[in-house]
Amino acid sequence: MKKIILVTGAAGFIGSKLCLKLHLKGFKVIACDDFSNGKKTNLIKGIKFIKLDLSVTKQIKKIPKKIDYIFHLAGQSSGEKSFENPFNDLRRNFITTHNLIEFSKKNSIKNFFYASSMSVYGNEANRAKIKDFCKPLSFYGTHKKLSEDYIILNKKYLNFTIFRMFNVYGPGQDLTDDKQGMVSIYLSSLIKNNKIIVKGSLNRFRDLIYIDDVVDIWIEAINNKKFNNRIINLGTGKKIKVYQIIDVLKSIHNKKTKIEILRGTPGDQYGIYSDKSIFNISNKKKFINMKEGFKKFYLWAKKTDF
Ligand SMILES: NC(=O)c1ccc[n+]([C@@H]2O[C@H](COP(=O)([O-])OP(=O)(O)OC[C@H]3O[C@@H](n4cnc5c(N)ncnc54)[C@H](O)[C@@H]3O)[C@@H](O)[C@H]2O)c1
């Protein structure tokens, strides 16, 4: 029997890529989204889609009860935007999780995968380890942590995997959004205006992970028991400074580029990258390197209307 997987946030960047790969691998996928940030054009043909707002309890009833796995990716995905409307962030990042966990308990759905973020660490961690103390700096990080805690408190009812994803980038990312995704923000303005606006220090650092690698790990977790009931740092383990990102993007673009440096944004972490614990858990032994990933992203962006 085909396993049935509900993917929330299916019209978004990561959710849509997951739907496609799950579908190609022969899983039965049920997709849902409220289009608050996702796009209809991201929906995958041949997959059942339900339009619903997961923060509204009544609407959860639209989801079929027979489900093997929930992949919960719906949420508000920008730390910066979480300061503009903290309640909206709470609703999208926590209430949706609460409602789906309660739905799972009621309907004996036994497996729950969650899209958390490296933002839960704040500036307490540098080379982040799961046991590091978490002190989020944004409402976004706070609400992701709240969701994590709520899932773990319900562990007697379901198996969980919580992915603390680092900076995910690649084809399919929203190039019109100038508040989410460091690489996509720089890339879109580079292509449009031969200019990169940096909000904060060039010495800040991040861990950049290519979209296909993220999707592979989520799917591997279905059958690899090592992922069971764990929080996972989903990053490459490579520390990349902001100026290195810019240097590589400039070398690919190969045109005169203006760099403008502005003040940092609220809640921005100075520097964080993942430990390499993923390599003890996953069978995957390496991730795509940054230059190759940026090239693929650049080529896709060049032929995209945005
Ligand atoms: N992109 C990254 O680098 C990154 C890193 C860490 C964690 N995450 C998390 O992974 C998830 C997916 O990220 P993404 O980059 O694809 O973001 P995205 O904004 O492209 O996708 C999120 C989707 O959730 C939908 N959504 C929001 N609220 C909803 C609701 N109440 N009901 C139904 N659908 C709703 C949006 O319409 C959107 O399509 C998010 O939860 C994000 O916080 C992303």
Side-chain angles (χ1 to χ4, degrees):
M1 271 271 281
K2 278 187 178 182
K3 280 185 180 137
I4 306 173
I5 304 186
L6 174 77
V7 178
T8 76
F13 168 43
I14 307 173
S16 61
K17 299 284 177 185
L18 261 170
C19 283
L20 177 62
K21 190 111 187 222
L22 286 166
H23 180 60
L24 293 175
K25 281 191 169 285
F27 291 98
K28 180 168 180 206
V29 182
I30 299 170
C32 66
D33 204 291
D34 69 348
F35 297 121
S36 52
N37 198 43
K39 296 190 187 78
K40 286 204 170 106
T41 50
N42 279 342
L43 297 179
I44 310 297
K45 275 200 191 105
I47 290 180
K48 181 181 168 69
F49 175 75
I50 308 164
K51 182 173 185 277
L52 85 172
D53 180 342
L54 293 157
S55 67
V56 180
T57 320
K58 269 192 188 158
Q59 294 196 23
I60 300 274
K61 290 182 187 139
K62 293 187 189 174
I63 303 172
K65 295 182 176 64
K66 216 181 140 329
I67 281 171
D68 298 305
Y69 285 79
I70 293 183
F71 282 18
H72 181 32
L73 293 106
Q76 193 293 111
S77 52
S78 154
E80 190 179 344
K81 283 187 203 161
S82 75
F83 285 91
E84 292 164 9
N85 190 342
F87 181 72
N88 180 55
D89 194 88
L90 176 77
R91 198 162 73 73
R92 298 190 181 284
N93 281 327
F94 176 65
I95 303 296
T96 59
T97 309
H98 167 275
N99 287 349
L100 279 169
I101 289 283
E102 293 311 314
F103 176 80
S104 302
K105 283 156 71 176
K106 213 167 163 185
N107 296 297
S108 304
I109 298 167
K110 291 291 174 213
N111 301 290
F112 197 93
F113 288 8
Y114 181 59
S116 186
S117 161
M118 53 92 178
S119 300
V120 299
Y121 289 112
N123 278 337
E124 298 297 303
N126 181 319
R127 180 176 181 268
K129 295 175 287 305
I130 296 300
K131 62 177 183 350
D132 283 336
F133 185 67
C134 291
K135 199 175 171 196
L137 300 174
S138 61
F139 296 106
Y140 172 74
T142 304
H143 300 145
K144 287 289 185 195
K145 183 69 174 62
L146 188 57
S147 281
E148 287 190 357
D149 293 344
Y150 196 79
I151 294 164
I152 293 167
L153 277 172
N154 281 293
K155 69 177 180 209
K156 69 173 172 191
Y157 302 104
L158 35 78
N159 299 315
F160 68 85
T161 303
I162 292 168
F163 292 104
R164 286 184 180 161
M165 295 189 282
F166 285 68
N167 287 61
V168 187
Y169 72 93
Q173 203 157 10
D174 184 353
L175 296 165
T176 62
D177 190 339
D178 64 354
K179 292 185 177 161
Q180 199 285 323
M182 189 183 270
V183 183
S184 63
I185 294 170
Y186 294 169
L187 184 64
S188 58
S189 131
L190 182 70
I191 291 174
K192 270 200 147 161
N193 311 313
N194 295 315
K195 180 177 173 179
I196 295 177
I197 298 170
V198 180
K199 295 180 189 162
S201 164
L202 287 171
N203 282 316
R204 286 172 303 141
F205 50 92
R206 291 290 183 270
D207 187 328
L208 311 172
I209 181 160
Y210 190 68
I211 180 67
D212 293 2
D213 289 328
V214 168
V215 167
D216 287 349
I217 295 283
W218 274 69
I219 295 178
E220 180 189 347
I222 298 171
N223 289 318
N224 183 342
K225 295 226 172 330
K226 285 195 200 161
F227 284 85
N228 263 5
N229 297 322
R230 281 179 98 146
I231 303 178
I232 310 279
N233 268 344
L234 187 38
T236 63
K238 290 202 173 116
K239 173 179 176 177
I240 308 289
K241 296 221 175 191
V242 169
Y243 69 78
Q244 294 176 297
I245 299 177
I246 292 172
D247 284 349
V248 175
L249 287 176
K250 273 169 61 184
S251 75
I252 295 169
H253 188 52
N254 202 20
K255 280 188 192 150
K256 200 165 184 292
T257 302
K258 192 173 169 208
I259 310 294
E260 191 177 330
I261 299 173
L262 304 179
R263 265 219 323 249
T265 53
D268 192 32
Q269 287 154 285
Y270 184 81
I272 187 150
Y273 67 110
S274 176
D275 63 5
K276 289 190 184 278
S277 52
I278 187 70
F279 297 110
N280 302 326
I281 302 160
S282 168
N283 297 323
K284 202 172 166 82
K285 289 301 160 228
K286 73 186 221 289
F287 293 124
I288 193 167
N289 78 53
M290 178 172 75
K291 188 149 192 184
E292 198 184 330
F294 281 14
K295 266 191 194 152
K296 287 174 186 251
F297 194 15
Y298 181 83
L299 290 174
W300 172 82
K302 281 287 270 187
K303 52 180 196 319
T304 304
D305 250 350
F306 64 94

